[in-house]
Each structure stands twice: as C-alpha cells, then as structure tokens.
Amino acid sequence: MNSLVYLDYAATTPVDPRVAEIMCRHLTLDGIFANPASRSHMLGWQAEQAVEGARRQVADLIGADPREIVWTSGATEADNLALTGFMRANRGRGRHLVTSAIEHKAVVDTALTLEQEGFEVTWLAPGRDGRVTPQALRDAMRADTVLVSLMAVNNELGAIHELAGLAEVVHAGGAAFHVDAAQAVGRIPLDVKALGIDLMSLSGHKAYGPKGIGALYVKRTPDFRLDALIHGGGHERGMRSGTLATHQIVGMGEAFALAAAEGEADQQHIATLRDRLLAGLADIDGVHHNTDTRVAVPNIINLAFEGVDGESLLMALREIALSTGSACNSASVEPSYVLKGIGVPRPLALASLRFSFGRFTTDADIDKALAALRHALEGLRRTTT
Ligand SMILES: *Cc1c(COP(=O)(O)O)cnc(C)c1O
C-alpha cells in the first residue's frame, strides 16, 4: 500500500472495484473473451451481448439511443473523430469551426490540424470564470459555420458551461454542437436531448472506469454524417473500425451505470471535502482562487499560492499527488494555457495547483493535505523572503 494522498482525480480516477470485477470476467477462457464480431458461435454472441449491454448503460446516462454510441479508444479519439470527421464530411456546407482557447488539447490540437487542412477556426476567449457566454458565441457565428465545440466541464478549472443556452445559439446559426464531456460524467446531468447536443465525447477513466476506452455520441438523424478516421472492418456502423475491446467496454458501461446511480451522492460527499479544504486554507495568506466555485463542479479547485513557485511547492508536497496546470503539460514549465486563457497573471499561474477529489477521498486525506500544504508554504515563503 502507498501512503500517498491522491488528489489528482481530474487526471484519472482509480477503477472502482465493482468495475474491475466485471472486467476480469471478460478476459479469460472461463469468461466472455470471444470476439464480439464473431457471428458463427455462441461465445461470439455472448460477447456481443455484453458489448450491447454496456452500450445501453452509456446511452442511458446521457439520454441517448444505444445506436447513437460509437466506441473509441478514449475521449481524445472521440474529439478527433467529432471535429475532423464532421468538418470533412460537411466540407460542402462550410469550412468554419468555432471553439475556445481553453479546451482540452485533444480539441485544441485537432482544430489546429484542421487549420492546416484549410479549415478556418475562431478561438473564443472565455471570461474570468472559464466560460464562454452565449453572446460571445453568437458574435462568432458565420453563415459558413458548421460546427461549434465547447467542453462541458473544464479539466483544469472545473468550470461548467451552460450547455443548453449555448446549444440554442449554435442551432440558430445552423451549425452542429460538439461537447467534450470527459470531466462531466457523474458530476452534472448530461441529457443530450434536453441540452441540444449533437456530438459528445466520453471517457472511461475519468469516471472510475478503465483507461483506453471512450465513446462518441453521434446524433442519429438522416442528414447527420461523419467521415471515419480509422478504416477497416466497418465496425461501429463504419465510423470506427477495430475489434471491440469487450473488457474495456463492459468496464466503462458498469462505471457509467454507477455514475447514474451514485453520481449525485458522490458530488455531495465531494462538496463537503472541498469546503473542508477551503476552511482549512482560510487563515493562510496569499491564496487566490483560479476556480470560480460558484460555477464549477466541487471536485476540481485550482488555487494559486502567492510568492511561491508551483513546481517547488509540488516538490515540497511529495506525499500528496497533485498537478500544476493539467497533467498533460506537467513536463513543461510554461504556465498553463488555460490559466493564461482566463487572464491569470503569469506569476500566479506559475504558483498554481489543481486539487481534484473523488469517490474515495476522505476527510483524513484533506487534513493530511492541509497539514502538508501549511508546512510546505511556511518553508518556501521563509526561504524566499
Ligand atoms: C482526460 C480528458 C480527455 C482525454 O480523454 P482520454 O480518454 O484520456 O483520451 C479529453 N478531454 C477532457 C476534458 C479530459 O479531461
């Protein structure tokens, strides 16, 4: 066992033991291991049944029809398929894509690649609270806009977009709406029909499922098309070829069923943890909130600690697993583009840490983190002043 306190749930969550148990039953000879595309024997049908059961579990969480779920290797691939697949398939209608400057890299880098391909991208600047307003979106819409991509919950800030209001603007402009909801599953309600979402990216491992599996929700109407990015046997109605990863898929299905059943209770528990952390920090000087907690999920809070360097603080907090910026850029020392994007001054952006909690975080974890933080800040501030 390790004595590390894990406060990096936004980077990935541990697999729920109930999920791991089901996955194990879909791997070995005595389990359901066959190829779900094998039509010639019973074992293949059983695997197909397992995959279709999981497809329904994922669809149910987001109010979709199971036929609207396309399995992918994760939310990164789902984002790539949504943006590139949709822009290419709808080239004849227009070449304009709208997104924001603080999307996940899976969207940002895909949009940059589309620019190389001759598409045009408008990069919306969010407000200080990490959200794009419907008015800002309305101003960016053009006659040739075919797709708008905005995330449900920002992975560094926790900021929640008002999806229904944004969807209205998108549809009034005749475009389609893609939402990266990797951080939103089990955190906020995600009914695609009620919210007006046409494409939605999902990930297993941000919601207590396994890594390496995700899905793209693709609205099912006659005129709605995507070009495939991965070609082969024509799986997933031709949108994504490749043998389905049965064990990953049943794991993601179970994780999503648990999110539907327990997500709200999880978030209530987590809100008490965040309040405990904030109460414990109240008497420490120079703590700035990068997260606007009024519009954010309770499981992510990004804080800046004036007068210290985030990397040094992280080093001093060895017994706490945390990240500066997002996990994906912790190798570089540049301030997070997300914090920059909402206007956090560079010195504060470099002094920021993201705390993220989850289903298995305890009061004792928070108290340990607070004690370590207090100790580390005292040490670092003493040496720098
Ligand atoms: C983690 C994450 C992704 C990438 O998901 P993978 O399943 O790891 O590919 C995409 N978008 C957001 C917002 C994320 O948090």
Side-chain angles (χ1 to χ4, degrees):
M1 284 302 285
N2 58 59
S3 60
L4 267 181
V5 173
Y6 187 73
L7 298 184
D8 206 12
Y9 277 75
T12 194
T13 57
V15 171
D16 190 291
R18 294 167 288 184
V19 169
E21 198 261 325
I22 283 176
M23 291 178 69
C24 289
R25 287 195 260 125
H26 292 80
L27 288 164
T28 47
L29 181 62
D30 60 348
I32 298 174
F33 69 91
N35 190 325
S38 292
R39 290 287 154 79
S40 53
H41 51 72
M42 184 75 171
L43 292 172
W45 305 335
Q46 284 176 349
E48 184 186 27
Q49 228 172 31
V51 164
E52 294 315 311
R55 199 188 298 277
R56 179 166 291 284
Q57 287 173 313
V58 170
D60 282 350
L61 181 86
I62 62 167
D65 185 286
R67 290 171 298 179
E68 297 177 309
I69 303 299
V70 175
W71 298 116
T72 64
S73 61
T76 298
E77 187 190 329
D79 286 342
N80 273 265
L81 178 57
L83 269 65
T84 304
F86 193 79
M87 293 305 290
R88 284 185 185 162
N90 292 278
R91 225 182 224 125
R93 288 178 40 218
R95 303 199 299 167
H96 186 224
L97 165 71
V98 178
T99 186
S100 92
I102 64 165
E103 295 299 303
H104 190 272
K105 284 283 183 185
V107 165
V108 170
D109 284 358
T110 303
L112 287 171
T113 304
L114 286 167
E115 279 184 328
Q116 304 287 312
E117 241 180 76
F119 292 100
E120 287 175 50
V121 180
T122 295
W123 301 91
L124 294 169
R128 181 60 186 79
D129 65 358
R131 307 193 305 170
V132 168
T133 61
Q135 187 55 50
L137 177 58
R138 200 172 289 119
D139 294 343
M141 297 297 290
R142 308 191 323 209
D144 64 340
T145 307
V146 292
L147 184 66
V148 174
S149 178
L150 292 169
M151 65 210 308
V153 171
N154 185 279
N155 50 300
E156 287 195 41
L157 301 166
I160 305 168
H161 262 137
E162 292 274 15
L163 297 173
L166 294 164
E168 266 176 44
V169 176
V170 174
H171 295 141
F177 192 25
H178 168 249
V179 172
D180 179 336
Q183 294 285 349
V185 171
R187 277 74 171 182
I188 59 169
L190 279 177
D191 186 308
V192 286
K193 304 278 154 42
L195 295 170
I197 296 168
D198 305 305
L199 293 159
M200 188 160 78
S201 300
L202 301 165
S203 177
H205 76 98
K206 303 290 174 67
Y208 310 98
K211 298 167 190 51
I213 185 71
L216 181 65
Y217 156 77
V218 182
K219 180 181 71 171
R220 204 173 135 90
T221 52
D223 58 336
F224 201 79
R225 288 197 315 111
L226 289 185
D227 280 5
L229 304 184
I230 295 179
H231 309 281
H235 307 74
E236 300 298 278
R237 288 179 291 122
M239 280 186 271
R240 205 285 192 174
S241 289
T243 299
L244 294 176
T246 315
H247 63 301
Q248 306 285 78
I249 287 170
V250 296
M252 179 162 164
E254 181 67 14
F256 275 48
L258 290 171
E262 301 176 6
E264 230 178 279
D266 281 344
Q267 289 302 85
Q268 278 169 19
H269 157 66
I270 287 162
T272 68
L273 298 172
R274 179 186 65 184
D275 293 347
R276 191 178 185 91
L277 179 75
L278 290 179
L281 291 173
D283 65 340
I284 300 181
D285 289 334
V287 181
H288 299 255
H289 288 203
N290 296 324
T291 296
D292 184 337
T293 53
R294 293 166 304 182
V295 301
V297 288
N299 55 290
I300 298 177
I301 185 158
N302 198 307
L303 300 169
F305 300 89
E306 205 179 300
V308 302
D309 167 58
E311 295 294 327
S312 313
L313 183 55
L314 209 56
M315 293 283 264
L317 289 172
R318 251 184 247 281
E319 66 273 46
I320 318 292
L322 281 171
S323 60
T324 58
S326 73
C328 324
N329 354 314
S330 22
S332 88
V333 286
E334 271 306 291
S336 141
Y337 69 96
V338 173
L339 297 181
K340 202 171 147 198
I342 61 166
V344 176
R346 189 183 160 92
L348 277 185
L350 286 170
S352 295
L353 295 180
R354 177 186 68 185
F355 297 79
S356 53
F357 326 112
R359 186 175 287 164
F360 307 114
T361 311
T362 62
D363 284 353
D365 289 337
I366 300 296
D367 294 346
K368 231 170 129 176
L370 276 167
L373 199 56
R374 195 176 285 277
H375 183 75
L377 284 170
E378 276 167 13
L380 288 169
R381 284 180 172 157
R382 195 175 318 114
T383 55
T384 53
T385 52

